[in-house]
Structure formats: C-alpha cells, structure tokens
Amino acid sequence: MTRGWITPLVRAAALLAVWAGLAASSAALAQNGGGACPGGYQITGRQASGQSYDPNQANRTVLQITLQAAGADIAPGCTSAPVTITPQSSTAFVFANGAYQLGFVQLNSSQVSRANVTRFELSGNARNRLVRGEAVTIDLFEISAGQFPAAGEYRGTVLVQVGSALPQAVLFTIAVRPAIKFLAEQGATTRDLSFGEVTAGSVIRTAVFYQSNAAVSITIQSQNRGQLVHTVLGPIRAIPYRLSYDSAAVNLSTGAQVSRPFRGLIAQRDEMVLEVAPGTGRLAGEYRDVLTLLYTAY
C-alpha cells in the first residue's frame, strides 16, 4: 500500500515541474518577443541642420534632428514603445539669446504622427527604423522668414524619450549673423546734396536711416579728400569743407571710421552735417565731391 501511494505523488511532482517550466518559458517569450519593451532603449540625438540664420537672406531655414538607437539587438517589441520629443524646461519650445527669442513654426513631417507646442510623437515607420538600427532625420522647426533678430547664438534644448527610459537631452544652437538694412522709405541710400551758393558759406544737414542687429562700423571716404573740386578746372580750384557724423568731427583727408554700439532693433537715425566756410576769390562754377559711407554690422 505504501509504495502504491508514493509513485503517483512522485509523478505528480514531476508533472508540476514540467508545467512550471512551461510557464517560465512562456513568461520569457512574452518579455522578449511578444510586443513588450521593458525599460525602453537608449537613443542618441543631434542637430542635423539650421545651425545659422542670416536676416538679410530669404533662404528657408529648417531645424532637423537626427536620432539613432544607442545599442544593437533591440527587441522587436520595442517598435511599439512611444518616442517623444518635448521641451526641456518650459511648456513650449523656445530658442533664446538672453531676452531675445527666435520666431519659428513647428513642422509636421512624415516621420511624426503628432506635433503641438509641447511635444512631437514619432510615427510607426520612424520607430520601426530606429529599432532596426537606422538613423532617422526629422524636420522639427522652420525659422520664420522676414524677422530681424539680434545677432548672437540662440539656444534651445529638447528631450527625446523612448517609453519610460531616461530622456536624452539634445541641444540646438542657431547663430544669427550680424546684419544691417537701410530704411529707404525714410531716406534713400544714394542722394545728391547741394550746398548752393557758397560765397557766404553753406551748411547741409542730412540723415541716414538704418536698422542693425549688432554693433556697426561706418567707414567714410571722400573722393577728393574733403574738398569740392571745380568740375572744369579740376583740383587747382577746390573748396574745402568739414563733415561731422553724429556730432563727431570726421577727418576726410585720410578717411575715417566711426563705431556705433548695438542700440537695439529699432530704426536708427544718424545725422551728418557738411559745412563750407565763407570765402572770397572763388572762381565761379560748379564744384563736386563724392562721399562714400560703408556700413558693416559686426
């Protein structure tokens, strides 16, 4: 009797062990290939385009990011893990240089299934490519055309996250180049200035209107080195004149350079005063000179 009871119990124990082994195998299968992606996977990212912006050009400036899985042999189930791109430290994406910000629009490319001011979500196709080990480049933002931001480096950091894995910070930098533009509606960039009759002396006041996103260097040159030359007799008959630029005297005999610090993005008005002193014994006729002013933002 005793041996009769022992045998079934041993068999039952062996059968239970087989069932336990099957259960363990089933659990392992569910983790590695059944659609789950425990812990997500690590990803690397870098800015792929849009490193500079020139306010004087109308070229399309798109900011792209390139993503790629950091390791190999990623579980196929990880294709279902969401991949998101979000701002690092605010509720919206921002690219700033101190108090200045760049204007931009968000793009909704084929690699993105959803885009709004707080996040991008990658499409299934993009996720599949990442799991296969491919690099995926995505259009995220376009710098708004026509803006005139202050020169300098604008920065913004986004966070890229796969599932519940730790997010990867990706820094975007956009160098806005120094630029200047003349405001022709307030003053033409080329003009003729007349002293009129100069026997008793004469004064001309004129202004240059411009906008700059940086400091400005102004080079001033006189074709006749600060003299009005007789149009018929030439340099043997000349009348000297003086020039001041924004109240500072300019030496036209050798050429001069005037520097202006960055004074904000508002329109600037620089005044020039040209003066001929009274004089006698001047031959009748017309006298001329050409002044060239070269403005360079830096």
Side-chain angles (χ1 to χ4, degrees):
M1 295 290 292
T2 303
R3 287 188 297 176
W5 280 103
I6 290 175
T7 302
L9 288 175
V10 173
R11 288 176 181 171
L15 186 59
L16 287 173
V18 173
W19 289 343
L22 288 174
S25 298
S26 298
L29 181 64
Q31 286 185 348
N32 295 326
C37 186
Y41 58 90
Q42 290 299 311
I43 198 167
T44 62
R46 62 178 176 82
Q47 181 180 354
S49 69
Q51 287 85 354
S52 66
Y53 176 76
D54 189 340
N56 281 336
Q57 294 185 358
N59 298 339
R60 188 168 182 252
T61 304
V62 175
L63 305 186
Q64 296 177 312
I65 190 171
T66 295
L67 303 177
Q68 190 164 20
D73 299 325
I74 301 170
C78 286
T79 57
S80 64
V83 181
T84 59
I85 302 173
T86 57
Q88 181 188 45
S89 58
S90 64
T91 57
F93 298 100
V94 175
F95 299 99
N97 174 22
Y100 296 100
Q101 293 187 8
L102 269 181
F104 63 92
V105 294
Q106 287 184 240
L107 301 176
N108 196 349
S109 73
S110 60
Q111 304 298 331
V112 172
S113 62
R114 181 182 177 189
N116 56 43
V117 295
T118 61
R119 67 195 292 114
F120 291 90
E121 295 181 9
L122 266 62
S123 66
N125 176 59
R127 298 196 306 269
N128 289 337
R129 291 176 60 193
L130 288 173
V131 170
R132 291 198 301 266
E134 298 179 26
V136 178
T137 298
I138 306 160
D139 294 350
L140 294 183
F141 312 100
E142 181 176 350
I143 304 300
S144 301
Q147 62 181 314
F148 200 79
E153 186 177 78
Y154 288 73
R155 293 183 163 216
T157 300
V158 303
L159 299 179
V160 182
Q161 187 171 18
V162 180
S164 59
L166 291 175
Q168 166 75 36
V170 180
L171 174 66
F172 280 78
T173 61
I174 305 100
V176 174
R177 299 177 182 175
I180 190 168
K181 60 181 179 181
F182 294 98
L183 307 178
E185 67 274 11
Q186 300 183 54
T189 57
T190 301
R191 70 193 75 167
D192 289 330
L193 304 174
S194 175
F195 282 104
E197 172 57 54
V198 297
T199 300
S202 181
V203 175
I204 297 174
R205 295 182 181 273
T206 186
V208 178
F209 298 87
Y210 62 92
Q211 183 181 11
S212 175
N213 69 349
V216 176
S217 173
I218 307 157
T219 301
I220 304 174
Q221 292 182 325
S222 163
Q223 186 179 70
N224 299 315
R225 300 191 176 188
Q227 298 187 98
L228 300 168
V229 171
H230 198 285
T231 56
V232 176
L233 300 177
I236 63 171
R237 289 291 180 176
I239 301 173
Y241 69 95
R242 296 188 296 270
L243 169 69
S244 65
Y245 189 98
D246 258 9
S247 302
V250 176
N251 182 2
L252 294 176
S253 63
T254 58
Q257 192 169 59
V258 179
S259 294
R260 285 285 178 266
F262 177 54
R263 295 177 284 179
L265 296 172
I266 62 174
Q268 304 295 329
R269 179 186 184 275
D270 287 358
E271 184 180 62
M272 291 187 296
V273 179
L274 300 88
E275 182 177 4
V276 174
T280 58
R282 292 168 176 166
L283 191 68
E286 188 172 85
Y287 297 74
R288 286 185 174 272
D289 189 24
V290 176
L291 274 178
T292 302
L293 288 84
L294 176 64
Y295 291 73
T296 305
Y298 67 94

